[in-house]
Amino acid sequence: TRLGGNGAEPLSPASRAEVMAYRAEVIARAKALAPVVAEIRAAGASSLWEIAAGLNARGIATAEGKSWSAMQVKRVLARNA
């Protein structure tokens, strides 16, 4: 029995490539949303909830097709920082 580690196998090169492609998509989507978020902020939204409400009011769904939450907005802002 081998002790230590977390039991996870190292990622294969193919899996690693998939992860990198997914991250690139996430960053690209965050950058595409930056002008919209800036517009919502310029309209007076200051909290994460207000920005989420602004995105929802404009009919912009998350990547999963759902409505925005404050945490999702926070992650988008962090990716654009």
Side-chain angles (χ1 to χ4, degrees):
T1 302
R2 186 176 146 208
L3 299 176
N6 62 4
E9 295 293 321
L11 289 177
S12 69
S15 295
R16 195 168 296 147
E18 289 175 10
V19 169
M20 296 306 290
Y22 174 75
R23 286 182 182 164
E25 288 176 28
V26 169
I27 291 168
R29 180 158 168 81
K31 288 189 185 303
L33 286 169
V36 179
V37 171
E39 197 176 290
I40 293 169
R41 282 180 151 174
S46 58
S47 72
L48 297 174
W49 281 112
E50 290 172 338
I51 296 169
L55 289 167
N56 292 329
R58 291 166 191 248
I60 300 171
T62 65
E64 296 178 355
K66 298 180 180 179
S67 60
W68 288 90
S69 70
M71 181 54 73
Q72 290 165 316
V73 171
K74 182 178 180 177
R75 290 178 182 139
V76 166
L77 295 176
R79 288 184 178 109
N80 285 324

